[in-house]
Every structure is written in C-alpha cells, then in structure tokens.
Amino acid sequence: MPFENLSERIQFSLRKLTGRGKVNEKDIEDAMREIRVSLLEADVNYKIVKEFINEVKTLALGEKVMKSLTPGDQVVKIVYEELVKLMGDEAVPLNLKKAGISIVLVVGLQGSGKTTHVGKLANYLRKNNKLKPLMIAADIYRPAAINQLLTIGKQLDIEVFQMGILTKPQVIVKKGIDYAKEKGYNLVLIDTAGRLAIDEPLMQELVEIKQIINPDEILLTVDAMTGQDAVNVAQTFHEKLNITGCLLTKLDSDTRGGAALSIRYLTHIPIKFVGLGEKMDEIDVFHPDRMAKRILGMGDVLTFIEKAQESFDEETALKMAEKMQAGRFTYNDFLDQIHRIKKMGSLKGLLAMIPGIGSQIKNLNIDEKKFVYIEAIIGSMTKEERQNPDLISKSHARKTRIANGSGRSYQEINNLTKQFEQMRQQMKAVMGLDESQMEKLSKGQAPMPGMMVQRPKKGKGKNKGGFRF
Amino acid sequence: MGLFDLFKKKNKDEKSKKYELGMKKTRQGLMGKLKSILAGHSEINEDLFDDLTDAFIMADIGVETTLNFIDALKEDPRVEGINSVEELQPIIIDKMFELYLKGEIVNNNFNINKNGLSVFLFVGVNGVGKTTTIAKIAYRLKNEGKKILLAAGDTFRAGAVDQLEIWAERVGVDIVIKKGATDPSSVIYDAIAKAKKENYDILLCDTAGRLQNKVNLMKELEKMNRVISREVEGAPQETLLIIDATTGQNGLSQAEAFMEVANITGVILTKLDGTSKGGIVLAIRDKYKLPIKMVGLGEKMEDLEYFDLEDYIGGLFIGDDE
C-alpha cells in the first residue's frame, strides 16, 4: 500500500484539489472515495465514514465552495473542520474535586493498558495537579496483576493499597478509600481487572464498585489499535457505567487510531488522555483539534511547544541565547541541551510532531544512542576543555586522550569537535540576524535540532515571548 | 495428528458450540448477519454488494482484502447464473474458504521435533495475551504427554515473570526464571541449556510485548531468534504471532513487521470470546500467507482450540444486525 497513514492518504487525495482553479463534482467524488477508503483503513467505524463523507460532500458542493476563491483550500478546510467536529471540539479536562478526595476508576478490556496507565496517570496528576495519589489494586483475577501495580508504585514512589486476591474488589476499594482518607491522600486511582463488556457478572462487579465509591471519573482504556468493535465495547461499558472519559493507549504504535474518532462520535465519550509509550511519563492530554491537524499533516505543533516549554524554562533559554550570540557556547552548554532534549522524550517522537517532518521520518532510524556517545565524549573532557572548546580542536594529544577515556574512536572525537565548531559559527550568525533575515532562514535549515530558544529582546528579561522555531 | 482436517466431523458439534458460546452473540446464530443481508434484498445489485462490503469491513477483514473479494464475487461466473439472492450464500462461503485455503492444504498442527527438543517462541504487541496463551498451550501439550518447560523471557513488563510463574504452577510445568535479568536472550539461553540437559520435549518462550515500530525492540527479538537457532538445530520450530481479535487494520502492519525479524510460522488469535470478530487474520492470511493455528476463547487454561475455518467463518457473520 502506498500510504502508511491517514494523514498521508488524505494529504495525497487533497493534493489533487489544492492549487487548482476550479473543483468540479467529479474531483470531489474522487477525493471522497479516497478519503472513504483511507478512513476505513484507519479503523474508523464504517457508519461514521458514511456520514462523514456525505457531510463533507454536501458542504463541498454547496455554495461555500462557489464563493471561495480557491475551492481546493476550501475543501481542505471543510475536511479539517469536520474531522475536528468528529472528535469533539475541545480538550475535556478531568473532573477532579477542588477539596477532598478525588476518585478515578479505570476500566477496560484485557490488555488495553489499565495497570500501566493507572501508574502513568497517578504520576501525571501528582506532577501537574500537585495531588497526593494512592493507587488501589482491585484486579484479583489476572495472575500477578497486583505485583505489577506494586512494581510500578515502587518505581514511581507512589503507595499501592492492596488486600491480596482473596478479598472481593468491592471490599478492597471501600477499605482503600478509607485508608486514603486516614492517610491524607487526595487522589485515588483504582486499577480493575480487564473484562469483556458482555461478561455480565464482572460488569455487575463494576456497577457495584461504582455505587460503593461514587467515583469522580470512570475512565475507559481503549487500545488505539482497536478495529471496528471499539464502538460496541465503548457503548456497552457506557450503558452500564456511564463512562466519563477515554484513555487512548498505545498511540505510539503505527496505528491510524480511527477508534478514537468512532468512540467520540458515536458515544460522545470524550477522549481525555493518550498513552504514548511504556515509560511512566509517556502520557499526554488528548487534544482533538491537534489530532485533526495531525491527520491533515499540519503537525502537532502545539504539543511540541508545550513539551519544549516544560523542559526549557525561559530564564535558561535567555541565558543560552546570549551565549550563543556571543559565540561563547561551550561543551557544558551542549551537554545541558542534550539533557533537556532527552527529558522531552525520544527525538523521533519529538520530530514526528513537527509539521512536514512527521511523514518523512517514518522510516528513519534515529539512533538515540548517539546522545549517549556524545555524553560519554564530553564526560571525558576536562573542565577546562569544556569551557574552552578551542583547546581540543587544536590538540591531537587531547583528542586521543578523550577517545581513550570515552571508548569512542578518534574519528568520532574529530567529527564531534568539527561539528561543534560549525554549530558555534552558525549560532553566532543566526543570533545576529534581524527579524526579516530570521524569517528567510526559518524557511531553510535550523542550526541544530532542538535549538528552540528565543532570541533575547532589547531590554533583557522583560517582555518574554513565546518560543521560536 | 494429521493434516488440517477441514471437514472432520468428530467433536464438531461440541466445538461449534464452544465457538458460538465463546463468541456469545447467538441470537441469530452463525451466519445470521449474512442471511439477514441477503434476505433484505430482492435482487443482486450494487446495493447488495455495498451491504456485503459493510459486513466484511465491520468484521475487521482488511479493506483491501474486502474490496478485492467483493470485486471477485461480482465477476464470479457462478453469480451470473443464479436466479435468487439466497443462492449467493453458498458462493460467498465457498469463496471465503478459497480466500483462506488458497488452493493449499493448510496444516495448523504444531511442528514438533520427534527426536529432541522443540522450541516455540511467542511474539506480539503489548496486551494481546502472550503469557496467557503460553499457559494454555503448555496445558494442552502437557496433557498430550509432552515434557514442557517455560522460559520467562518478558524481562521488561512489571509483573510479567510473576504472572508466568503463577501459570506454571497452576498448569504444573517447570519454568526458568532469571531474577533481575534484563536481556531476554540470556534467559532463553539458560532455559535451552536446562531443557537439553533434562530432556524436555518442548520449550515455550515468553517475550515482552513490543510495538512493531520500535526498532530496538524488534532487534532484540532478532537476537533471541538467533540465540535459539544457534543453540538448537532447526529451532525455533514455531514462532507464533499473537493477534488480539479486537485488533483492526494495524494487524497487517504487525504481521509484516514481525515477519521481517522472525520466521513467523503461524498466528494465534486471542480473545475471540468477546464481541470482536477478529477478521483481520483473514487479511493477514490473504496478504502474508500466515496460517491461523489456534484460537483463544476465554481466560481459563482450557479455553484454547485449534483453528476451525468453518466455525470461524460462521462466527464472522454472527447475529447483531440492526
């Protein structure tokens, strides 16, 4: 198949439309056919695909297009707007209490990622909402499920309440919440056993748990790779429990993730979080508008900016920019940058969020180990050398020593020092540019990936703006 | 055991019932959906083919496979010769058999080395049910009189080793665990050494779930495969790709990627006791020629059956029409 994902496919089918003076009915029919196949291949429910195609077609053929100067752009806009509508217009936050204990119940099919995401969510809410979480292990059926949560708890340093596998989950959750109150926790996350939506006794167990604890949120974990059945599953859980939100897991796979659209559209349950990996910090708030942009190949710029902001505080960024401008960028600064980039997650993951790059890096194998090597090399430099890079570039003896110390080849040391020197020169040049020159440059190449710092404005420190790419 | 015995009637009724019970959508029974589509049309036209397309798509049979199938159905000479819509049903079923069999005699029995150790490697993405499936297969093979050893090769997921250990105890088979190990290949290496020394018949190797687009994890799998084939001649005898029945089109990408790093010998379809139809394995068979060996139908260790094409196709069109 020529297209690996929905965004490429739609981009391609619409490429035919953009840049043309007029769009006739046949053009639209052709584009719609491709969008239909594309959406079905993305696992969007077939009923929704039908409705979506009809809606877009009607809108595209209507007078809106006729009035528009560039009909192609108009169709792109309609498809985008409809996609956003399909996924719900805005990001929906969690319902958490301002005071007292907030209770989050996590439910779902077997293997959808409940236990892992109870951990991720606890970690996320502790960090971002400054809450004190307790996790309750209420999966008494799957062998070693409790151990799994205990291990995660240990890893995150978050307490896990458990009573083994001989006590009924209804009792465990009740006791767990009493325990949370007693110990002053203000957030409780409950891990439950995976179950089929049609398993009556186990669904009844959840209904009873809900009655006993009256949770603020009941989150359904849904595997992003789920096919057409996603809607049935969500609907059945929803009927029994009144699900308040979805947690879309394994979105770091190469799935097209149409299940997200289907669930939102047919059940109106908002997707609240997405899981993006096996590490405990790989979770993010779901933004429907951004997802739609991503589908259309506009990239997930906003997520990228947020991540960047988290890792680069403005003060540091300013200092860094000044150093760059003065050509005083040292190996210590470089090392610092690498640490920040690593903190933001995998480089590939970050690049995928940048518009225009996402589809190109799919087959690119970025060796994240390169960072480790660079760190090792810099680690083998003396304090003096790190502050004064010129010392190394001119000395064969120093390079040999660093190569031996870091276990990397002489050639690698040579390459790094050369690249570092070029980078410094470029930075100096870039930082000296004015706005219009900057504009031109931004269309070309950035001096170095990950250099998303703002240039210092006149009157340092004041008027701090957003981040610049 | 012999070849894939498609029309074998032995235990047939009981087994169909298990599929049916497992799939729990029995109001209209097997084929109900297909019957009701056909009953809803008085003539063979585009409308009917569109409805059939939807039914195939709904069962998660790949889009490409579905579109090709419907096109071929339209052009089938047998379709031109029929008078009523009802006559279409046996032709559709027949063509679906063809789609799966592809003129081959499909062998869905395990390849077991008669004079020495056999090694089975279980692979798949996260959460598809690898560990549970291993327990079920261990249970089945043990009952067939084989001496079974398990290797706890999921050194990554929290609790995975404990999970397999509990299963080993329940089933009553031995297990090799390497506490604190991070390299699954070393666990498998140890297990092979033990299996050879103590004359086990079959070694079942669990692996960590890995998404097929994670290059490093796929390389790790390649290494495990290398270690196994180096240590045991002709091994792994089976490398089984586990696919969750709820999986949509991504199943194709999974098959393709895992086939690149391992010699996948078959698919095990899990969680078919839910409402999902698991049609993606038909597309996997169509596109990558992988046979489906077994089907998981529940959480107990007995809930595993050899794949039966007739029951499976019936299940794809079970009830739930609206």
Side-chain angles (χ1 to χ4, degrees), chain A residues 1 41 43 46-47 50 110-111 142-144 147-148 196 225-229 250 252-255 278, chain B residues 54 57-58 60 64 126-127 156-158 162-163 211-214 246 248-250 253 271 275-276 299:
Chain A
M1 216 164 296
E41 281 177 347
D43 293 318
Y46 72 103
K47 289 179 210 157
K50 268 190 186 156
Q110 291 94 338
R142 178 164 61 94
N147 281 0
Q148 186 181 352
L196 295 169
M225 295 177 278
T226 309
Q228 294 286 325
D229 200 41
K250 308 180 205 174
D252 52 323
S253 67
D254 59 2
T255 183
E278 295 193 71
Chain B
D54 284 348
I57 298 278
M58 204 187 75
D60 282 322
E64 206 183 331
N126 313 65
F156 185 81
R157 180 169 61 87
D162 303 324
Q163 188 181 350
L211 294 174
Q212 69 274 19
N213 55 343
K214 307 272 156 123
T246 57
Q249 304 300 303
N250 193 252
S253 157
K271 309 184 197 174
T275 43
S276 304
E299 288 187 310

